[in-house]
Amino acid sequence: MEETPSVLMDCTGKIIRTSIHTLLKYFHYFTTIPLLLLLPFSASVLLSQTLFKYYSPLSEPIYAQFDSIFDLPAPGTVFPFVFSLPFALSSFIIAKASIIQAMNQPKPSFPIPFFSFMSLYKPLLSTHLLSLILIIAINSATFSLLFISLNSLKPFWLPYISLILPAFGAVVYSFLANAVIVSNLALVVAGMGSCKGHVAIYKACLLRKGKNSMVLLLFLPINLGLVSVEALFQFRVIRVFQICGGLTSSLAMEGLFIAYLYSLLIVLDTIICCLFYKSCESNPMASDQIHRRYYEYDIELVHERESSDD
């Protein structure tokens, strides 16, 4: 059941304030182990958008834009994902585990022994791999469906392409943003809920039920912050690098500082996910509904396995 807007705003504000307070209160911990582990991943994400030839359809004539969107070379679209994947499966997961383990207490306890949060690595890794597959599948399906539908109606929408392209981008972004939000929640569920893989993703979807507006309000500022940091990296580091024709020590330090900001936002995003999960679990009605749906889903899986064995 969807809550009233005033209640959603109050809960959202409380979680954001508590998250910032937690980050500042334990700043010495969150800016050491988790942030240092996230630095390689953040640097790879920022660099991967620059190391391949960046393509922008807006630089072409308006009537050729849509056709050119689907003519991107495969290496250009796959390279950023492949470049950052090793860090996403190593330092990113370990950093997430260190934050989740710290937050998975009645009161956050510090410092966290290394082997205690490394025990979360396997469930987080399997959940993250499945989430990546899900995101790629959703993204590919969205592009394919939009391409087929728009291409079949090309004679009708061609005069209105300047209006259709922004709508096209909004549809793709909405699907991708929701998939990323579920992926982030699934990692927290896998770390704090003693489950992994498709079960964690299913529980993350149940957490969003009736709280879609609240979830979007929680994660929109973080996503805007990440996009802003990426734009800052392009403007302050890549543009200066192209102008100067080389890398200087001051430019390298500035790039490292921007990667630090990117990592800090990921830390804050993880804290928000943990507090959101705790708020859902502390609500008896919502928690009972989630567990009931999960048990129903588990029973359905058992029946399917029994029928397949027969």
Side-chain angles (χ1 to χ4, degrees), residues 30-75:
F30 288 123
T31 55
T32 51
I33 296 177
L35 197 140
L36 291 176
L37 287 170
L38 280 170
L39 271 179
F41 171 76
S42 300
S44 68
V45 171
L46 294 173
L47 287 173
S48 65
Q49 301 173 12
T50 308
L51 293 180
F52 72 99
K53 185 178 180 181
Y54 183 75
Y55 179 87
S56 177
L58 297 178
S59 61
E60 296 188 0
I62 191 70
Y63 292 101
Q65 288 179 10
F66 182 77
D67 289 336
S68 59
I69 288 175
F70 298 95
D71 291 335
L72 290 174

Side-chain angles (χ1 to χ4, degrees), residues 252-265:
M253 290 301 297
E254 189 169 2
L256 185 62
F257 176 72
I258 294 175
Y260 176 92
L261 292 178
Y262 198 87
S263 303
L264 196 61
L265 286 174

Side-chain angles (χ1 to χ4, degrees), residues 48-209:
S48 65
Q49 301 173 12
T50 308
L51 293 180
F52 72 99
K53 185 178 180 181
Y54 183 75
Y55 179 87
S56 177
L58 297 178
S59 61
E60 296 188 0
I62 191 70
Y63 292 101
Q65 288 179 10
F66 182 77
D67 289 336
S68 59
I69 288 175
F70 298 95
D71 291 335
L72 290 174
T77 56
V78 175
F79 177 75
F81 174 77
V82 174
F83 183 80
S84 59
L85 184 61
F87 301 100
L89 300 181
S90 56
S91 64
F92 176 77
I93 298 296
I94 299 173
K96 286 272 188 178
S98 66
I99 301 169
I100 293 170
Q101 182 67 21
M103 297 296 296
N104 193 20
Q105 307 289 339
K107 291 185 179 180
S109 56
F110 305 96
I112 305 297
F114 180 76
F115 291 103
S116 67
F117 64 79
M118 281 301 295
S119 62
L120 298 177
Y121 179 76
K122 286 186 177 180
L124 292 185
L125 178 62
S126 61
T127 305
H128 191 56
L129 282 172
L130 197 58
S131 298
L132 289 177
I133 295 173
L134 182 64
I135 290 173
I136 294 173
I138 291 174
N139 199 29
S140 301
T142 305
F143 266 97
S144 300
L145 289 174
L146 287 173
F147 172 71
I148 293 171
S149 59
L150 291 178
N151 197 41
S152 61
L153 300 174
K154 187 174 181 179
F156 301 98
W157 60 255
L158 191 58
Y160 309 101
I161 188 170
S162 59
L163 299 176
I164 289 179
L165 278 180
F168 167 80
V171 171
V172 173
Y173 177 78
S174 63
F175 278 100
L176 187 59
N178 281 281
V180 171
I181 289 173
V182 171
S183 174
N184 290 337
L185 284 176
L187 287 176
V188 172
V189 172
M192 304 180 79
S194 301
C195 57
K196 61 181 180 179
H198 68 281
V199 176
I201 295 175
Y202 180 70
K203 281 190 174 182
C205 294
L206 291 180
L207 288 176
R208 290 198 54 182
K209 190 174 180 61

